[in-house]
Amino acid sequence: MRVILGITGASGVVYGVRLLEVLRERDVEVHLVISEMGRRLIELELERSYKDMIGLASSYWENNDLTAPIASGSFRTDGMIIAPCSMKTAASIANGISGNLITRAADVTLKERRKLIIIPREAPLSDIHLENLLKITRAGGIVIPASPAFYHLPERIEDLVDFIVGKALDVLGIEHKLYKEWQGQHHRR
């Protein structure tokens, strides 16, 4: 399996980093791109260097390199995940603006009818944000808000992160045990 992973400059870079770790554990070929603000937030929120992430990926591409293979539809992938997805990136994707490698790869993913999963992390959402997310959904993208469930009785922040990461893996058809699936409510008599 071959997946593109973009990490952009929204708070919540832990989602992208955790996805990278889990995809590596599952021997998925990951083509990683991190925006400039994504790099800064990895350092601010996780107190790590973005360079630590590069070693976890199969390939790393600079966000300004529009000659990278992932910028072309002839480079086949099983999908793309942008985690977290900034509202700037979502707006660019929604309006077909391919000004960098992340937005170009997302545009290619949509035009080739492959799975594009975005994990936006913003609150509250304005009308403009909602309209852009709706445009992405109507174009075939899948929006997974960074809004974890609690039915699995999380005990740590990592459990909440794993829930969202697991949802993205579900869309790609990648098996995992990051959270317990809902089994319904059993009543005692």
Side-chain angles (χ1 to χ4, degrees):
M1 181 167 251
R2 179 189 278 175
V3 174
I4 301 166
L5 175 61
I7 298 175
T8 68
S11 184
V13 291
V14 66
Y15 293 111
V17 171
R18 182 67 175 134
L19 268 162
L20 184 57
E21 293 167 348
V22 172
L23 291 169
R24 180 184 170 99
E25 290 169 6
R26 282 155 182 76
D27 293 322
V28 173
E29 180 183 330
V30 179
H31 291 263
L32 177 65
V33 186
I34 305 173
S35 73
E36 184 62 35
M37 278 306 297
R39 291 177 182 188
R40 291 185 63 200
L41 285 172
I42 288 170
E43 293 170 2
L44 288 170
E45 293 182 356
L46 303 179
E47 297 180 334
R48 295 170 71 178
S49 169
Y50 80 94
K51 293 178 181 176
D52 297 339
M53 309 303 110
I54 293 172
L56 297 175
S58 306
S59 296
Y60 177 75
W61 306 101
E62 292 293 335
N63 198 29
N64 63 355
D65 184 3
L66 293 176
T67 67
I70 63 173
S72 173
S74 66
F75 186 80
R76 294 189 180 151
T77 68
D78 295 289
M80 178 176 184
I81 306 169
I82 304 174
C85 183
S86 68
M87 287 299 111
K88 176 183 177 183
T89 300
S92 294
I93 295 166
N95 292 287
I97 301 169
S98 300
N100 60 49
L101 186 55
I102 292 172
T103 55
R104 172 60 187 166
D107 187 49
V108 166
T109 300
L110 288 175
K111 81 177 184 70
E112 297 292 331
R113 305 292 191 250
R114 298 175 185 144
K115 292 179 180 176
L116 173 65
I117 302 157
I118 67 165
I119 300 175
R121 217 296 320 141
E122 185 62 73
L125 295 169
S126 72
D127 286 0
I128 295 168
H129 298 150
L130 292 168
E131 287 175 11
N132 286 332
L133 296 175
L134 182 58
K135 281 183 177 181
I136 291 169
T137 300
R138 286 182 173 157
I142 298 160
V143 177
I144 300 175
S147 177
F150 291 86
Y151 66 80
H152 62 295
L153 304 176
E155 296 177 3
R156 307 166 303 138
I157 290 174
E158 292 83 1
D159 297 333
L160 299 172
V161 171
D162 279 353
F163 182 86
I164 298 301
V165 168
K167 286 296 190 180
L169 297 177
D170 289 346
V171 171
L172 289 174
I174 298 173
E175 293 291 322
H176 66 86
K177 296 198 182 304
L178 295 177
Y179 66 87
K180 291 182 270 180
E181 64 180 45
W182 176 251
Q183 297 295 315
Q185 188 175 13
H186 300 284
H187 297 281
R188 293 185 181 181
R189 292 180 187 223

